[in-house]
Amino acid sequence: MKFFIDTANLEHIREAVDMGVLDGVTTNPSLMAKEGIREVRSHYRRIAEMVPDVSAEVLATDYNGIVAEGRDLASIHEHITVKIPMIKDGVKAIRTLSEEGIRINCTLIFSPVQALIAAKAGARYVSPFLGRLDDIGHEGMQLVEEIRLIFDNYAFNTEILAASIRHVEHLRSAALVGADIATMPFAVIEKMLKHPLTDRGLEAFLADAKRNG
Ligand code: E4P
């Protein structure tokens, strides 16, 4: 399973890279705004120099605009993946850009058939948003399970990028149902390491070692 961090914060990305377990970064317009990024191109370039894969989202919503913006984003760095929302013009643009060899992450996936159409159009990744489905009382993980089944039924090699991950339990379930990638906030990466019995056990080991020596 690949681990991506869901942020535009360079310090968090650096810290996650230094842990040695990070495979990529996802951003979105809200995350870029949260960091107050104005120079979008140079920010994406800096991230792309740190990790092998960074999703940069288009803002256009019409076919010509998405294609032009997608080509422009992809030209920033070879590590850029163009993130395109699941809309009709987006699907058309996924077909065009993926045929040009541009890696596409189809975002805002909330149903298995949306994932199916994105995969047919040639997306490299589909991003089901688990947390946002949970927020409205649905079972986000069921979506990942169904997409996994569909992709396996038809041998699609589009990867499932479990997104909108809010806590460690989301990550555990996403791994159990076979998501290829999980993108998560820095806080979740940090929490993954934690278990109270680990802390208690280490404390006891160190205390015993001190008594001995
Ligand atoms: C994924 O690519 C999105 O950036 C992200 O996971 C959305 O998460 P949120 O629902 O917590 O905003």
Side-chain angles (χ1 to χ4, degrees):
M1 185 185 216
K2 287 184 256 180
F3 287 170
F4 285 8
I5 188 170
D6 196 29
T7 186
N9 181 297
L10 294 178
E11 277 169 39
H12 286 167
I13 296 169
R14 169 55 53 209
E15 246 191 275
V17 166
D18 288 347
M19 281 174 68
V21 293
L22 194 71
D23 300 291
V25 172
T26 49
T27 65
N28 64 39
S30 308
L31 293 170
M32 294 291 274
K34 189 174 161 198
E35 300 303 322
I37 310 300
R38 286 170 191 276
E39 295 298 322
V40 170
R41 290 184 117 257
S42 61
H43 197 74
Y44 283 139
R45 189 173 305 109
R46 288 175 78 182
I47 299 176
E49 283 162 0
M50 297 163 83
V51 293
D53 193 334
V54 51
S55 286
E57 188 159 342
V58 298
L59 299 178
T61 53
D62 65 291
Y63 171 76
N64 289 325
I66 296 172
V67 168
E69 207 182 330
R71 285 180 185 142
D72 182 56
L73 288 169
S75 74
I76 297 173
H77 197 285
E78 60 182 352
H79 294 170
I80 297 276
T81 293
V82 175
K83 205 173 182 189
I84 298 179
M86 170 38 73
I87 52 176
K88 196 170 170 188
D89 282 33
V91 171
K92 266 176 77 179
I94 290 170
R95 164 65 63 206
T96 303
L97 294 173
S98 61
E99 280 174 357
E100 292 174 14
I102 294 174
R103 214 168 38 232
I104 306 295
N105 173 359
C106 183
T107 190
L108 291 168
I109 296 283
F110 291 96
S111 83
V113 289
Q114 287 182 319
L116 175 59
I117 197 159
K120 275 187 75 70
R124 170 71 173 273
Y125 307 132
V126 289
S127 288
F129 277 35
L130 314 183
R132 293 193 194 184
L133 276 170
D134 289 358
D135 289 346
I136 60 158
H138 289 233
E139 180 49 69
M141 205 54 65
Q142 197 184 329
L143 172 59
V144 177
E145 250 180 297
E146 289 180 16
I147 298 172
R148 177 76 285 152
L149 197 61
I150 290 169
F151 283 7
D152 290 349
N153 280 348
Y154 299 101
F156 281 112
N157 46 27
T158 302
E159 294 179 61
I160 304 172
L161 197 170
S164 188
I165 284 186
R166 304 276 169 77
H167 42 69
V168 174
E169 180 54 29
H170 268 151
L171 180 72
R172 186 184 77 93
S173 313
L176 284 172
V177 302
D180 301 287
I181 307 164
T183 190
M184 54 213 143
F186 185 63
V188 174
I189 297 183
E190 282 191 308
K191 282 185 190 138
M192 279 168 63
L193 307 171
K194 293 282 177 196
H195 195 286
L197 290 180
T198 305
D199 296 341
R200 218 184 301 162
L202 181 61
E203 220 173 273
F205 285 157
L206 295 179
D208 289 343
K210 214 171 188 178
R211 252 199 309 276
N212 261 351

